[in-house]
Amino acid sequence: MAKLDKIVMDRLKRKSEPLVHPRQVSAVVCHRRLWSTQIEEYLVEWKGLWTSGHIPHSWHTLEELEHCLNIVQAYLQKLITTSPPPPPKFKRKSSEDHTPRPSPSYRTNTSPSSASESIHPEDHHVRVARSRDVKCYNAILTAKDGWFEVTESSAANVPQIDSTAFPTTKMVEEAKVTRFTSATNKIRRELIDRLKRIRSSKEDAEVTMANTVDQDSPPLGFKFVDESILREGVIKLDDDTLEGCHKCRPDMGQNIGCEYTRWCACLEYARVDEERLDERTLALYLQWKETDEGDPYQFPKRFPYRIDKTHGLLLNGFYLDSRHTIYECNDRCRCGPRCKNRNVQWGRSVPLQIFKTKERGWGLRCPVDLRRGQFIDTYRGEIITSLEADRREKEAGFGKDSYLYSLDKFREEKDLQEHDMFLVDGQFMGGPTRFINHSCEPNCRQYAVSYNKHDFRVYDIAFFACQDIPKNTELTFDYMDKDEEDEDEDQHGSQRQANPNDVSEGGIKPVKCRCGSKKCRKWLWM
C-alpha cells in the first residue's frame, strides 16, 4: 500500500510542476543526456520580442515538454533525415562500482558567485520553485499557473549570450553522439494512444502503426478526427432538408430494407442504368435528360451495394466500373438501420496500419485481405471555402505537399461556380486515409457519397478497393483520377502524360512521380 501511495504522490507532484506552453515555443534546437540522472533534455527556443536582441533558450525534460511533443518531433525528424544514428554505447566493464563523473558542460552551480569555480555561460542555470534546477540563457524562468514564463532580466547573474550561436558547436557535437530513445518512445506512445481513440464500426478494426525503416513516427501535429470539421464560410444543408424513402420497409428483401429502386426516393438523382432501357423507355429517358421533366423513378437504377456473406456490403460493379455518385439512405428513411443501402455512414469496419515506406514517407495498408468493392474509410479533414484554400496554398508556397480535395462532383451538373465550391483539407486533421500514397496503377478508388440528395456541396469522399488486395499490401489511389466525364475520353483510365517542361495556366509545373508502377506516367500535374 505504501508503494501505491508513493506512485500516486509522484504523479501528483509531476502534475504540479510547470510545463512549457506550445504557443510560446519557437523550436527545439538541441538535445543532451545528463550524466547524473541519464535524463534526456531538450533546448527550447522561446518566442517573443526581446529588447536585448537575444532570444532566450532553456533546457527542459520531456515531462515539461508534454504539450510540445510535436515540436520535439520536428527537431528529431531533422536529425533522422540528416544525420546517421549515434554509435551504440557500451557499458564499461569493471569490478568496482564507478559513478559517472558529470561532464563539465552539465555541471550545476548552486552558488553562481562562488569564487572556487569559474562560471561558463553554458553552465548558467536559474532556480525556479520546483524539484530541479532549469538551465536558462538570456532570461529568467518563473512558474505561474502551471506554466513556465520567460522574463528578461539585466541582473548580473543572467548572462546575455549571442543567441545566433545557439546551439553552440559544443552542444551540437555532443548531440551527435547522444541517443534520443526516451523522446522517440514517448512520441510513439502518444501516437498509439491517439490511434486507439479513432472510431470504427467494429471493435477489431483498430488503427496501428509500424516503422522498420527508422525511428520516426507519424506527425503529432496531425489531429485524428472522426468527422470532417466545417470551417468559416462553409454551409451544410440543415437536417430538415433530408428526404428519406417512405415506400421502403425494414422487412423487405429478406429483412435488408430497400429492395426496389423505383420505390426508393433516396435514388432519385442516382445514375440511370442505361443498359436496362428498352426502346420505349430509352426515348422517354432521352427526353427526360433534355427537358428534366417527368418522373425520374420510372427509369431503372441500381442500389450501390450487394451483400457478401464474408465481407458484408460490397460496392457493385455498376459503380466500381464508373464514378457514379453513391446515394445512401438516411435517418428519415423507413427502411431501418439494417438497410443494405447504408454502409459508409456507419464508418470504417476494417483494420488499417500506418507504416513507414522506404522511399515515399508514410503509407497505409490493411492487415487483412480486402475484397474488390469493400469500403475502406473516408477522406476527412477541414472543409474550407475556395478562398481559404487559395490562401493556404499561397502561404505554403510551391512544392509543398497538398492534402486538398475538391468537393466539385456536381459543379457542371448543377452549374455551380468554382468559387462556390468547398474543399477538404486533410493536412492538419483527418483520418488514416490521409496517409494513402499515389499510384498510376492504384488498388483503391474514391467516390462521392451523399446522405442528403439535395446537398450538392457537402458530402463524403469514400475509398473502396477496386481489386482484391492481399493483406499488408500498400493501399494507393490515383491523385490525378477524375470523374467519369474524363473516363469517356480514355476507357483505360490513362491521362495525358505531363512533360517536365510544361507549365499549367496557373504557372504550376508537374512533379515527378515515384509510384514505381509499370504504367507510371513519370510526371503528374498536382
Side-chain angles (χ1 to χ4, degrees):
M1 190 64 163
K3 184 177 181 181
L4 181 60
D5 291 340
K6 185 178 184 302
I7 294 175
V8 173
M9 291 302 295
D10 287 343
R11 288 180 178 176
L12 291 174
K13 183 179 179 182
R14 286 198 300 270
K15 288 183 178 180
S16 65
E17 294 178 347
L19 302 174
V20 177
H21 201 293
R23 292 182 181 177
Q24 295 180 316
V25 175
S26 176
V28 168
V29 297
C30 201
H31 75 285
R32 70 183 186 185
R33 183 185 292 274
L34 296 179
W35 283 98
S36 57
T37 60
Q38 290 298 300
I39 293 177
E40 291 176 20
E41 289 191 340
Y42 291 82
L43 186 60
V44 166
E45 178 181 297
W46 293 85
K47 290 181 180 178
L49 298 175
W50 312 102
T51 57
S52 65
H54 296 305
I55 303 172
H57 290 73
S58 55
W59 289 99
H60 293 277
T61 64
L62 290 170
E63 285 69 26
E64 293 164 351
L65 297 171
E66 182 177 338
H67 296 287
C68 303
L69 289 180
N70 61 314
I71 304 176
V72 176
Q73 184 185 37
Y75 162 73
L76 296 182
Q77 286 175 335
K78 291 181 180 179
L79 296 184
I80 293 171
T81 56
T82 60
S83 305
K89 291 186 177 181
F90 299 96
K91 185 175 181 180
R92 180 173 55 182
K93 296 181 179 180
S94 174
S95 58
E96 300 178 2
D97 182 17
H98 289 281
T99 301
R101 185 176 63 182
S103 170
S105 63
Y106 301 144
R107 186 170 56 244
T108 59
N109 300 283
T110 55
S111 178
S113 60
S114 172
S116 61
E117 292 184 10
S118 60
I119 301 177
H120 190 278
E122 289 189 12
D123 297 334
H124 182 78
H125 71 281
V126 177
R127 183 182 294 276
V128 294
R130 49 181 282 102
S131 61
R132 76 175 190 89
D133 293 337
V134 179
K135 203 178 296 292
C136 183
Y137 313 95
N138 296 332
I140 291 177
L141 283 181
T142 56
K144 184 179 180 180
D145 298 328
W147 301 99
F148 280 109
E149 283 196 355
V150 184
T151 308
E152 286 188 289
S153 175
S154 58
N157 65 339
V158 179
Q160 298 299 316
I161 305 172
D162 181 8
S163 58
T164 60
F166 276 118
T168 65
T169 303
K170 186 177 182 181
M171 292 177 180
V172 172
E173 291 302 317
E174 187 128 19
K176 287 181 179 179
V177 295
T178 302
R179 291 185 177 274
F180 36 83
T181 309
S182 297
T184 53
N185 289 341
K186 189 175 182 66
I187 290 170
R188 181 162 296 192
R189 287 195 300 269
E190 172 64 24
L191 183 79
I192 291 174
D193 288 341
R194 294 185 185 184
L195 296 179
K196 289 179 179 179
R197 295 194 290 268
I198 299 177
R199 191 171 61 198
S200 64
S201 60
K202 289 186 178 181
E203 291 185 1
D204 58 348
E206 60 181 355
V207 180
T208 58
M209 67 154 289
N211 186 355
T212 59
V213 177
D214 52 34
Q215 303 175 69
D216 196 11
S217 294
L220 287 177
F222 178 78
K223 180 180 180 181
F224 288 96
V225 294
D226 295 318
E227 295 180 355
S228 291
I229 309 298
L230 275 59
R231 293 306 188 194
E232 184 178 357
V234 175
I235 300 174
K236 180 181 180 180
L237 292 188
D238 192 85
D239 288 345
D240 292 338
T241 64
L242 279 176
E243 181 183 348
C245 51
H246 302 292
K247 295 183 179 180
C248 304
R249 301 189 310 272
D251 59 350
M252 282 182 164
Q254 299 179 343
N255 297 318
I256 56 173
C258 298
E259 185 178 11
Y260 304 107
T261 61
R262 287 187 172 91
W263 288 16
C264 186
C266 296
L267 299 182
E268 178 180 0
Y269 301 141
R271 184 60 64 93
V272 173
D273 187 358
E274 299 179 6
E275 294 183 359
R276 295 168 59 188
L277 296 173
D278 54 29
E279 290 187 10
R280 184 186 68 84
T281 54
L282 177 59
L284 292 173
Y285 172 65
L286 294 176
Q287 182 180 0
W288 175 76
K289 285 186 66 177
E290 184 70 24
T291 63
D292 198 24
E293 296 179 357
D295 181 12
Y297 299 107
Q298 64 182 308
F299 307 115
K301 299 175 183 178
R302 293 196 183 187
F303 285 110
Y305 309 111
R306 62 182 180 86
I307 298 177
D308 181 86
K309 293 183 179 180
T310 304
H311 298 87
L313 295 175
L314 300 179
L315 194 63
N316 71 45
F318 179 73
Y319 290 86
L320 271 173
D321 299 331
S322 67
R323 297 302 298 281
H324 304 326
T325 302
I326 299 170
Y327 290 96
E328 290 193 2
C329 290
N330 56 63
D331 293 339
R332 295 289 180 91
C333 296
R334 294 183 179 178
C335 53
R338 296 181 58 189
C339 175
K340 69 176 181 181
N341 197 32
R342 295 190 180 196
N343 187 8
V344 173
Q345 61 190 269
W346 297 129
R348 175 179 49 83
S349 62
V350 297
L352 294 174
Q353 185 174 79
I354 302 169
F355 75 105
K356 190 65 174 288
T357 68
K358 292 183 178 180
E359 297 180 350
R360 299 202 295 166
W362 294 98
L364 191 69
R365 61 191 178 194
C366 182
V368 299
D369 295 336
L370 290 173
R371 183 75 182 275
R372 183 175 186 263
Q374 193 165 0
F375 168 59
I376 298 171
D377 203 351
T378 60
Y379 187 85
R380 47 193 181 269
E382 301 173 88
I383 301 183
I384 58 177
T385 63
S386 179
L387 186 64
E388 172 62 14
D390 291 341
R391 187 196 67 80
R392 293 189 181 190
E393 285 188 315
K394 184 177 180 180
E395 187 177 82
F398 175 74
K400 299 294 184 180
D401 291 338
S402 176
Y403 298 91
L404 292 170
Y405 202 113
S406 298
L407 298 178
D408 57 359
K409 178 70 176 180
F410 304 98
R411 177 184 172 186
E412 294 185 10
E413 179 183 344
K414 301 301 177 181
D415 195 24
L416 301 174
Q417 299 300 313
E418 184 175 357
H419 62 267
D420 290 331
M421 298 293 92
F422 301 141
L423 299 93
V424 183
D425 189 356
Q427 180 174 1
F428 305 108
M429 58 181 62
T433 56
R434 186 256 200 188
F435 298 93
I436 298 183
N437 283 318
H438 161 82
S439 176
C440 296
E441 292 184 274
N443 51 25
C444 303
R445 295 192 77 182
Q446 64 278 21
Y447 296 80
V449 181
S450 175
Y451 320 114
N452 185 346
K453 62 184 180 182
H454 300 303
D455 197 340
F456 307 117
R457 298 203 294 170
V458 178
Y459 48 86
D460 272 347
I461 301 296
F463 289 96
F464 289 83
C466 59
Q467 61 189 50
D468 290 344
I469 306 175
K471 64 180 181 180
N472 293 324
T473 301
E474 181 175 4
L475 304 179
T476 59
F477 77 101
D478 191 342
Y479 287 4
M480 301 299 294
D481 195 12
K482 304 296 182 183
D483 288 345
E484 62 270 11
E485 290 82 5
D486 295 306
E487 292 179 1
D488 292 338
E489 300 176 5
D490 187 346
Q491 295 298 325
H492 299 288
S494 62
Q495 301 171 11
R496 179 178 69 88
Q497 287 194 13
N499 187 300
N501 297 318
D502 289 345
V503 179
S504 69
E505 293 181 1
I508 300 176
K509 291 185 176 182
V511 295
K512 190 173 183 179
C513 180
R514 298 184 296 167
C515 73
S517 64
K518 293 181 179 179
K519 296 182 180 180
C520 179
R521 297 191 292 269
K522 308 302 179 185
W523 297 87
L524 300 171
W525 293 104
M526 299 298 289

